[in-house]
Amino acid sequence: MIDPSSSAADLVAHLMSLRSETNIAGMKRFGIETGTALGISNPDLQAIARRAKKDHRRALALWQSQVREARLLAVYTADPKQLTLDEARLWSADFNSWEIVDSAADLFVEARLLQLIPEFASDEREFIRRAAFAMIASAAVHMKKEPDATISGYLPLIEAHSTDPRNFVKKAVNWALRNIGKRNRSCHAQALLLAQKLSESTDRAARWIGKDAVRELTSEKIIARLKG
């Protein structure tokens, strides 16, 4: 029985009991790193996290297990108020899959560790750099009370790394640009301007990022939502 008193070992044992080879095979098709995976879906993990509740010390132990599902459970049950920069950096050194990165990015933003964004962006490792732009994408949506200047202030960073051709970086840069543009009218104008600039770039990655962002930011659906 999973409850708030469950230890990291209890949770890992429970996860092990749910292993599904069929699901592991399916995850591979979505580009998920399955070397330590048990094949448990994120909705199921989130349900376990709700029963286990927040426990920061236990979350740190779960991360050390190296099991994919245990690390996602660590992200879901860590306390953002207790998460430190050093802990976030330690976790980031283990990033090896886009889904872990994107889930952790939400936690890092909730913990207000925004100083990691430029630090991660300057890191040459693909998944750590992705984390920077996943954090920007998350902040644009979830930090509603943050001044727009903070969010749009990441546009130069987006432009600077728009030429990184690696798939998981390129898609996160694009995601960050689109989310800034969808935040409100002011951010939309600034993001669209950059998207149009990138769409005319001679660099293939930057051009793709720009064209895709322009396509969404000029869509009737987005324009109507911003006017509403």
Side-chain angles (χ1 to χ4, degrees), residues 41-111:
S41 71
N42 283 358
D44 286 344
L45 287 172
Q46 288 163 354
I48 293 171
R50 285 193 292 272
R51 296 200 299 273
K53 306 297 183 182
K54 300 285 186 185
D55 185 321
H56 195 68
R57 181 175 294 183
R58 186 185 62 198
L60 297 177
L62 283 169
W63 187 271
Q64 291 302 315
S65 74
Q66 301 185 16
V67 175
R68 168 205 174 255
E69 285 76 3
R71 284 187 164 171
L72 283 170
L73 200 57
V75 170
Y76 297 150
T77 60
D79 185 346
K81 294 179 180 179
Q82 296 184 54
L83 185 70
T84 68
L85 281 167
D86 285 343
E87 289 166 352
R89 290 183 180 116
L90 188 66
W91 284 13
S92 71
D94 292 329
F95 286 164
N96 65 350
S97 180
W98 63 265
E99 62 158 358
I100 294 285
V101 169
D102 296 356
S103 296
D106 285 339
L107 173 65
F108 295 173
V109 167
E110 189 177 359

Side-chain angles (χ1 to χ4, degrees), residues 186-201:
S186 174
C187 288
H188 178 269
Q190 297 175 72
L192 182 57
L193 192 64
L194 176 57
Q196 291 168 332
K197 179 181 178 180
L198 295 180
S199 72
E200 298 171 357
S201 173

Side-chain angles (χ1 to χ4, degrees), residues 3-221:
D3 59 40
S5 67
S6 299
S7 67
D10 293 335
L11 290 172
V12 172
H14 179 67
L15 294 173
M16 292 288 189
S17 73
L18 301 176
R19 184 183 180 92
S20 168
E21 297 297 335
T22 300
N23 289 351
I24 291 172
M27 288 175 176
K28 291 180 180 179
R29 294 195 292 271
F30 291 94
I32 294 172
E33 171 56 48
T34 58
T36 64
L38 300 174
I40 305 170
S41 71
N42 283 358
D44 286 344
L45 287 172
Q46 288 163 354
I48 293 171
R50 285 193 292 272
R51 296 200 299 273
K53 306 297 183 182
K54 300 285 186 185
D55 185 321
H56 195 68
R57 181 175 294 183
R58 186 185 62 198
L60 297 177
L62 283 169
W63 187 271
Q64 291 302 315
S65 74
Q66 301 185 16
V67 175
R68 168 205 174 255
E69 285 76 3
R71 284 187 164 171
L72 283 170
L73 200 57
V75 170
Y76 297 150
T77 60
D79 185 346
K81 294 179 180 179
Q82 296 184 54
L83 185 70
T84 68
L85 281 167
D86 285 343
E87 289 166 352
R89 290 183 180 116
L90 188 66
W91 284 13
S92 71
D94 292 329
F95 286 164
N96 65 350
S97 180
W98 63 265
E99 62 158 358
I100 294 285
V101 169
D102 296 356
S103 296
D106 285 339
L107 173 65
F108 295 173
V109 167
E110 189 177 359
R112 296 299 189 266
L113 301 181
L114 300 186
Q115 56 267 60
L116 290 174
I117 291 176
E119 179 180 322
F120 285 170
S122 67
D123 197 300
E124 290 295 332
R125 287 170 287 184
E126 182 174 10
F127 288 109
I128 295 183
R129 182 168 288 173
R130 178 185 175 91
F133 297 98
M135 286 181 69
I136 294 171
S138 179
V141 173
H142 299 297
M143 297 183 70
K144 299 184 186 303
K145 295 182 179 180
E146 192 71 19
D148 288 340
T150 300
I151 305 302
S152 61
Y154 293 119
L155 290 172
L157 199 61
I158 287 172
E159 182 173 9
H161 293 285
S162 64
T163 56
D164 190 323
R166 293 174 294 181
N167 189 51
F168 291 113
V169 175
K170 180 177 70 173
K171 288 187 174 181
V173 172
N174 170 262
W175 179 25
L177 179 57
R178 289 184 291 107
N179 275 14
I180 291 175
K182 292 185 286 185
R183 181 176 170 89
N184 55 40
R185 292 184 192 181
S186 174
C187 288
H188 178 269
Q190 297 175 72
L192 182 57
L193 192 64
L194 176 57
Q196 291 168 332
K197 179 181 178 180
L198 295 180
S199 72
E200 298 171 357
S201 173
T202 57
D203 181 87
R204 185 175 180 179
R207 189 167 60 251
W208 177 84
I209 289 168
K211 286 185 175 181
D212 187 74
V214 167
R215 186 180 304 112
E216 180 169 12
L217 296 180
T218 58
S219 67
E220 291 183 5
K221 179 180 178 181

